[in-house]
Amino acid sequence: MHGPQWDLACFSYLAHAQVLHVPRYPGANQGTTVDWTFSSLAGDGPITAQVCATRGLSTALVANQVGHDPTGRHVRHSLDAAGVHHRAGSGPVPRHTPQLTVVTDELGTRTWFADLTHAYASLQQADTSPLGQARLAYIDGYTVIADAAADALHTTAAAGVPVLLNLGSDPVDAKLRQAARQAHLFAVQTSLPESQEQDAEHTALSLLAELGPHAAVVTVGALGVAAITRTSTHRISARRVDVVHTHGAGAAFSAGLAAAHLEGHDLPAALHYACEAGTAHCTTVPSTDTGIRERNAS
């Protein structure tokens, strides 16, 4: 019998993200200047795949189709440059690539505007077979793609592949819950805002009871992470740093957790590694072919 083809296979919607940073988010009917902007990937699954492939893991991405427009070319180039094998969905190629616009400011405000309708529909037609051919599968279980994520979980369950399931702070959809209970969940990851840090362990306990993973992992931004298993509780603080941006921080954490697990580290060590990966991501000036364009140099 042949061994796994991939170290990691990721499942999520795929879109182009344009990230803009402003001094302060404007009020209604007001505007502001843009300090800098850069292009990236969305959602979390593509970024997780990109980070892990850059670190030398053989990585596949199961996602929707993107267009042949400039943003679609940027998305494909980003995946190809990192060495991610991209398995697109079937069906017609869209005229316009799914798009996410993210606006951040110096107070930590982060808002996003999503044009992802085609991504959700196309994802239903994706070939999920790479998820059954990996040592570990990463699946985004957002509510908006819960049906497709449930199908992805069924693929991993049939193949006996362990899963890192990311809820992205969303509640657990009923179909996702049923599929997750049949899968081999290495970890379920979600997030809370820093203002709800006191609820992290309760949230982890609830996920442990509801989905039955080996570990329930709750990130709380700059405050770090709480994780609970059937026999242990772990609290890891994040290193204090000057943050450049937070787009993709949760995905970088997931990539660090997945990579450490695949390298054979135990959960406490993997959580430390994941926190450091997320922190490093937030302190790094993104490097893309469009780069960061300084708007206000003075």
Side-chain angles (χ1 to χ4, degrees):
M1 179 179 294
H2 296 293
Q5 184 175 357
W6 312 102
D7 292 322
L8 178 70
C10 298
F11 175 90
S12 186
Y13 74 81
L14 176 62
H16 176 267
Q18 188 75 7
V19 184
L20 301 90
H21 185 274
V22 300
R24 189 159 187 167
Y25 200 84
N29 301 314
Q30 296 180 359
T32 187
T33 57
V34 175
D35 292 328
W36 48 258
T37 179
F38 68 91
S39 294
S40 181
L41 299 173
D44 285 334
I47 299 175
T48 299
Q50 183 184 40
V51 172
C52 284
T54 301
R55 295 183 179 186
L57 295 175
S58 60
T59 306
L61 174 65
V62 176
N64 52 274
Q65 296 265 29
V66 296
H68 294 301
D69 52 343
T71 54
R73 290 195 295 270
H74 178 274
V75 165
R76 283 191 293 271
H77 174 76
S78 297
L79 295 172
D80 291 343
V84 177
H85 173 79
H86 173 213
R87 183 69 65 90
S90 59
V93 175
R95 290 183 59 190
H96 302 291
T97 294
Q99 177 77 27
L100 192 72
T101 301
V102 182
V103 182
T104 66
D105 71 7
E106 294 176 0
L107 298 179
T109 304
R110 182 176 183 270
T111 57
W112 60 93
F113 307 86
D115 179 12
L116 303 172
T117 302
H118 171 80
Y120 302 152
S122 177
L123 193 55
Q124 293 277 9
Q125 301 174 342
D127 177 7
T128 61
S129 60
L131 298 169
Q133 301 164 353
R135 295 170 56 205
L136 177 68
Y138 169 99
I139 296 174
D140 277 331
Y142 312 139
T143 301
V144 291
I145 58 172
D147 286 354
D151 290 341
L153 283 168
H154 288 314
T155 297
T156 64
V161 174
V163 176
L164 170 53
L165 175 63
N166 173 44
L167 300 175
S169 78
D170 284 357
V172 181
D173 180 90
K175 289 183 179 179
L176 193 72
R177 181 186 303 111
Q178 182 179 6
R181 295 294 298 188
Q182 299 170 9
H184 174 41
L185 298 182
F186 153 61
V188 174
Q189 177 183 331
T190 193
S191 64
L192 290 175
E194 293 172 14
S195 61
Q196 296 178 25
E197 185 268 344
Q198 71 278 4
D199 298 327
E201 290 187 17
H202 174 74
T203 299
L205 280 170
S206 296
L207 289 175
L208 198 69
E210 185 174 14
L211 299 179
H214 168 67
V217 178
V218 181
T219 61
V220 282
L223 300 179
V225 62
I228 293 180
T229 71
R230 296 293 179 190
T231 59
S232 61
T233 299
H234 308 275
R235 291 298 297 256
I236 310 296
S237 297
R239 180 165 52 91
R240 291 187 175 274
V241 296
D242 291 328
V243 173
V244 176
H245 73 100
T246 58
H247 175 69
F253 177 96
S254 299
L257 184 62
H261 176 70
L262 288 168
E263 291 169 2
H265 295 284
D266 61 14
L267 182 62
L271 291 169
H272 277 286
Y273 191 90
C275 275
E276 187 56 35
T279 298
H281 180 85
C282 292
T283 62
T284 304
V285 175
S287 176
T288 69
D289 26 326
T290 54
I292 288 182
R293 298 183 293 278
E294 294 293 341
R295 301 298 192 188
N296 297 320
S298 59

